[in-house]
């Protein structure tokens, strides 16, 4: 049983978790929304790392605002 099948999610946030850890057969960069099999995934560093690293905070905000346009 896959994670998606178990929870029937349409959106999945991966903070500090590699896509392969949940058996996704695709790789994609941080802060890029990726659609796969009817679900949207966002992969990002762990929240603790984002909090401590100003450049990651900027990237996260850019990704957020890019998704709004």
């Amino acid at each position: 049983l896959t994670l998606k099948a178990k929870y029937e999610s349409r959106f999945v946030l991966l903070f500090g978790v590699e896509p392969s850890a949940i058996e996704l057969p695709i790789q994609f960069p941080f802060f890029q929304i990726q659609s796969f099999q009817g679900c949207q995934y966002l992969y990002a560093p762990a929240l603790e790392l984002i909090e401590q690293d100003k450049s990651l905070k900027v990237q996260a905000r850019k990704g957020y605002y890019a998704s709004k346009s």
Side-chain angles (χ1 to χ4, degrees), residues 4 8 15-16 18 20 24 28-30 36 43 46 48 52 67:
K4 184 179 180 298
E8 299 180 18
F15 287 103
E18 294 277 336
S20 60
L24 277 177
F28 46 97
F30 289 146
F36 180 71
Y43 171 44
E48 299 84 23
Q52 296 168 3
S67 71

Side-chain angles (χ1 to χ4, degrees), residues 12-58:
V12 176
L13 304 175
L14 302 169
F15 287 103
V17 177
E18 294 277 336
S20 60
I22 62 166
E23 300 180 11
L24 277 177
I26 56 174
Q27 292 293 321
F28 46 97
F30 289 146
F31 309 115
Q32 174 182 302
I33 296 172
Q34 181 69 45
S35 294
F36 180 71
Q37 294 184 339
C39 187
Q40 291 186 325
Y41 297 88
L42 177 69
Y43 171 44
L47 291 173
E48 299 84 23
L49 294 176
I50 295 172
E51 181 181 33
Q52 296 168 3
D53 187 323
K54 184 176 180 177
S55 68
L56 288 175
K57 284 182 189 178
V58 170

